[in-house]
Amino acid sequence: AWVAGAQASPAGSPAASPTAAQSPSQLGDDPTPAPPTIAWSIAPTAVVYGQTITAQGTVTPATDGQTVTVAVDGATVAAPVTDASGAFSATFVATVGGTVTATLDDGTVGPPLTLSVAPKVTIKAGATLPWGVTKLWVTVLPATYAGRVAATVSHHGKTVAVAAGHPTAGK
């Protein structure tokens, strides 16, 4: 029989039972575990188009086998899986800058990070002609880059030419 929160035990002394003053967490049986969190980083945070970025972090509480979706402006770039300690790591090639997020399948999102990606510019020189003229080709990646590009040509420390403009199809 229950008497003031206690039950008689076979030995005649009251057995421990929950009282109105005890919460489930005090009894070690918390029905609402802490929500997961993601602590993470990317490195480097500013790169040239085509360079590799590393995303790494930890999911707490640690759970083995959770997929962490890494996305740049909503486009998935990597999907590492956590190990037993909750750690994850992945690399991806930077093709666009923007807001980088890490999201668990349950919708938990880590703090947003910013990635800056500059266009990759290469210059190729043609053969020098006898009268000292050389043709240069400037290539920009991604080919869709529409910003302004400026190339300065120096010879023996002196500027000999400057070309500027907006590339078309990366040239």
Side-chain angles (χ1 to χ4, degrees), residues 27-156:
L27 298 173
D29 189 21
D30 188 352
T32 55
T37 60
I38 304 171
W40 75 302
S41 64
I42 57 171
T45 58
V47 295
V48 173
Y49 178 89
Q51 286 185 308
T52 301
I53 305 294
T54 300
Q56 61 186 9
T58 306
V59 175
T60 305
T63 304
D64 188 24
Q66 283 191 332
T67 300
V68 181
T69 302
V70 178
V72 178
D73 285 344
T76 299
V77 293
V81 176
T82 58
D83 63 15
S85 69
F88 65 90
S89 180
T91 59
F92 62 94
V93 175
T95 58
V96 64
T99 301
V100 187
T101 56
T103 308
L104 298 176
D105 289 338
D106 69 0
T108 300
V109 180
L113 305 174
T114 301
L115 174 63
S116 297
V117 179
K120 181 177 182 179
V121 179
T122 56
I123 299 174
K124 180 180 174 186
T128 301
L129 300 174
W131 50 89
V133 175
T134 301
K135 188 171 186 177
L136 299 175
W137 289 271
V138 178
T139 304
V140 180
L141 292 175
T144 57
Y145 180 75
R148 184 173 168 82
V149 175
T152 302
V153 181
S154 299
H155 181 66
H156 297 294

